[in-house]
Amino acid sequence: MLETIVNFLNALLWGKLLVYGLVGAGLYFTVRLGFIQLTYFKHSIKVMTISRQGCDSGLSSFQVFCTSMAARVGAGNMAGVAVAIGAAGPGAVFWMWVIAVLGMATAMVESTLAQVYKVRDNDGQFRGGPSYYMEKGLGQRWMGVLFAFFLIIAFGLVFNAVQANTITGAMERVFGLDPTYVGIGLVIASGFVIIGGLRKVARVSEFIVPIMALAYILVAFIIVIFNIEQLPAIISLIVKSAFGWQEAAAGGVAYTVAQAMQAGIARGLFSNEAGMGSAANVAASASPNPNHPASQGFVQMMGVFVDTIVICTATAAIILLSGDIGSSDDGIRLTINAMSSHVGDWGEHLLRWRSSYSVLHLS
């Protein structure tokens, strides 16, 4: 009975409501802002270069960027991409790219609004997010309360379970560790960081996230270089599968355009979280440089780009170049096996370390 309810809600949310709602919002913001993710892309990079400067009353934009990336870079980038490719073929990657471009505009808006309606708490730090601008901007306090309630449920009981499942799966696959002990270790390790408050989470994120992301991207880049002759065929396969031009892929399995779109859009939205309001909460805590609400919007817009266009693409390249598209393994195991096929056993340790840090986003 419970499984039936969960499956029904999952199909309703990810098959209809969230996909149409968030894609529609992304399209609307993209058009109204004059394709800001393209026209102001260079400006976003420029803002990122000075984002480490902040003030004593808040976190720097770069610290907030790293903290939000700790939320984005996790199960969605590794297991999620593998699941999407396995369920709907290589074409899902193309639709991930599309939703990332639209999501950049959404992230710009929600993070800018978080800055506009942020407040200072008793400790002198800033806080805000969708609940605040629903109350102060729309004048709908009930809506803000409802959003906060559902966000607590989602991140307190659901998102952490997904991330923890990915981490324990990686640890079990690489080291053969009991998931129970891995879970206990995650609670203790993350507790040491979270107990120090948002500033400590931000400081740890600022140090670890760039290393974590750059190391993974570097390995993916090396894999692509060593398989450069296959790259044109892989890109062609992604595009053809996205539009149904590739009649058979992954060992003769045919995929429809609808499958590719649904899997790619859903996994893209889950990965970059644009429009879900989670990244906007931490975006409100920043003291951006230049001191303007839009500055944080530009920084968070780049977060979506790095998460999906860069890191998810890196995972897709690792999997597709391995040729193991039709594997029956679950997401994280498929990614680990693909990495191992390219670089050997040490690749497993890299993925295990990278997935483990994502638990910090639960703070």
Side-chain angles (χ1 to χ4, degrees), residues 62-278:
F62 185 73
Q63 287 178 316
V64 169
F65 169 82
C66 290
T67 304
S68 62
M69 284 299 292
R72 293 186 174 112
V73 179
N77 303 90
M78 294 182 297
V81 174
V83 169
I85 293 175
V93 178
F94 176 87
W95 297 110
M96 282 186 188
W97 296 338
V98 173
I99 201 60
V101 173
L102 296 178
M104 289 171 70
T106 304
M108 169 70 188
V109 171
E110 65 177 354
S111 296
T112 300
L113 286 174
Q115 281 286 314
V116 171
Y117 293 103
K118 68 183 181 182
V119 299
R120 195 185 298 272
D121 61 19
N122 295 331
D123 297 324
Q125 298 182 20
F126 295 116
R127 63 175 61 189
S131 293
Y132 287 79
Y133 53 76
M134 286 175 183
E135 176 185 357
K136 299 178 181 297
L138 298 177
Q140 304 294 330
R141 177 176 173 80
W142 68 270
M143 186 183 297
V145 172
L146 194 62
F147 176 86
F149 173 77
F150 283 127
L151 193 70
I152 291 172
I153 297 297
F155 277 82
L157 301 176
V158 180
F159 272 64
N160 59 347
V162 174
Q163 297 284 12
N165 180 68
T166 301
I167 294 167
T168 54
M171 297 291 280
E172 183 181 21
R173 167 66 177 81
V174 177
F175 297 112
L177 298 179
D178 188 320
T180 301
Y181 296 116
V182 175
I184 294 173
L186 287 175
V187 172
I188 296 173
S190 59
F192 277 118
V193 177
I194 296 172
I195 200 172
L198 181 59
R199 287 186 179 275
K200 185 173 182 180
V201 172
R203 286 196 298 269
V204 175
S205 298
E206 184 181 21
F207 174 73
I208 295 181
V209 168
I211 299 174
M212 174 184 67
L214 289 175
Y216 187 69
I217 294 169
L218 178 60
V219 171
F221 179 75
I222 293 173
I223 290 173
V224 170
I225 292 298
F226 277 102
N227 297 274
I228 193 68
E229 71 282 353
Q230 300 181 44
L231 189 60
I234 292 297
I235 295 175
S236 176
L237 177 62
I238 290 173
V239 176
K240 288 180 179 180
S241 298
F243 295 97
W245 300 333
Q246 183 75 19
E247 294 184 358
V253 180
Y255 300 101
T256 66
V257 178
Q259 280 181 298
M261 288 185 67
Q262 183 173 353
I265 291 172
R267 291 298 167 178
L269 291 172
F270 177 78
S271 176
N272 60 53
E273 299 185 20
M276 295 177 65
S278 53

Side-chain angles (χ1 to χ4, degrees), residues 289-326:
N289 181 42
N291 188 19
H292 190 281
S295 297
Q296 191 60 39
F298 285 120
V299 170
Q300 296 303 106
M301 190 170 74
M302 288 302 298
V304 175
F305 176 83
V306 173
D307 170 84
T308 307
I309 301 297
V310 178
I311 299 180
C312 284
T313 301
T315 300
I318 292 171
I319 294 172
L320 294 176
L321 288 171
S322 73
D324 192 21
I325 303 174

Side-chain angles (χ1 to χ4, degrees), residues 16-28:
K16 294 180 176 64
L17 298 181
L18 283 179
V19 171
Y20 293 141
L22 294 180
V23 171
L27 283 169
Y28 175 78

